Amino acid sequence: PQLYQVGEHSNLYVLSTDTLEPREVVFLGHDAGAITVPPVMALGYLLVVENVGADDAKLHILSTNASGLEVKQAQDPILLQGNVLVPPMVFGRRLLLITDLGEIRVMNVDPNAEQPVGAVATKRAEGNAKSMIRYSAVSDSDLWIGDDRLTKYEIQTSRGKLALKWIKN
C-alpha cells in the first residue's frame, strides 16, 4: 500500500498510494544523481541501488513491516563492480542485477535467512570491459544479456555460477 520514491539526494520517501501523503522519510545518504533506477520490492524487502562512483555501486537491502512502513536496513549493503543503469529484475525469489561494466549477479531473497539477500550465481566484470547499458531477459534457468552482442548463460545455482552457453554477433 506504499509508494517508494527516491529523492534527488539523501532520502527515500514513503508515500501512501491512496493519497500520496508522505508517511516516512528514510535517510540513505546518497549523493545527487547517484540513484538512477527505481527501487524494487522482493518478498518484503525494498532494494535500492546506489552508484557510489564511476566504477562502483552498492545494493541497499531494506526491510518493511507488513504494511510497507518502518523502513530500516536489513543487512549491510552489497558492493557491485560498475554502475547499475537498468532496473534490477525480480523473478520469483530471485533478483538479477547487471552493471555497466558487465558484472552479473543472480541473488536469492530469503526472508528466513540471517542475511536475506545472498548471491546464487555471479559473473565478475572483466578488467577491460567498457561501460555500456546492458539489458536482460530470464526464463527458468536461462539468462540472456544484450549489449553489443547477445549472450546466453545458464544459471547453475548448485554450482554458484553462470555457465556461458553461446554468444551471437
Side-chain angles (χ1 to χ4, degrees):
Q2 312 305 330
L3 174 70
Y4 303 96
Q5 176 63 52
V6 177
E8 181 181 357
H9 64 83
S10 303
N11 297 319
L12 170 76
Y13 298 93
V14 182
L15 310 172
S16 165
T17 55
D18 295 332
T19 64
L20 295 182
E21 174 186 338
R23 305 297 290 281
E24 288 182 25
V25 178
V26 180
F27 179 76
L28 291 179
H30 60 280
D31 290 334
I35 297 178
T36 58
V37 298
V40 295
M41 185 66 85
L43 295 175
Y45 290 94
L46 183 64
L47 308 165
V48 181
V49 181
E50 175 187 1
N51 295 322
V52 292
D55 295 330
D56 297 298
K58 61 182 170 180
L59 173 65
H60 296 274
I61 298 107
L62 308 170
S63 64
T64 67
N65 64 15
S67 63
L69 297 170
E70 298 178 18
V71 177
K72 62 184 177 198
Q73 182 175 313
Q75 76 182 61
D76 290 338
I78 296 171
L79 299 177
L80 304 166
Q81 190 176 5
N83 285 179
V84 175
L85 305 176
V86 176
M89 180 184 296
V90 177
F91 57 107
R93 300 178 66 90
R94 301 247 164 86
L95 172 72
L96 172 65
L97 288 159
I98 303 171
T99 71
D100 64 336
L101 296 180
E103 180 172 346
I104 304 168
R105 294 247 186 138
V106 178
M107 308 184 90
N108 193 46
V109 180
D110 183 356
N112 299 315
E114 184 177 320
Q115 298 290 312
V117 178
V120 170
T122 301
K123 177 193 169 290
R124 296 284 181 201
E126 297 170 8
N128 60 352
K130 63 181 179 178
S131 175
M132 69 176 68
I133 295 177
R134 292 172 162 83
Y135 298 97
S136 63
V138 177
S139 177
D140 297 324
S141 63
D142 294 324
L143 167 65
W144 292 268
I145 304 294
D147 44 33
D148 60 350
R149 60 189 171 200
L150 183 62
T151 308
K152 181 180 179 184
Y153 296 95
E154 180 183 15
I155 303 169
Q156 297 179 343
T157 56
S158 62
R159 301 174 86 188
K161 70 176 203 168
L162 296 171
L164 177 65
K165 290 300 182 186
W166 50 254
I167 298 174
K168 303 286 183 187
N169 298 328

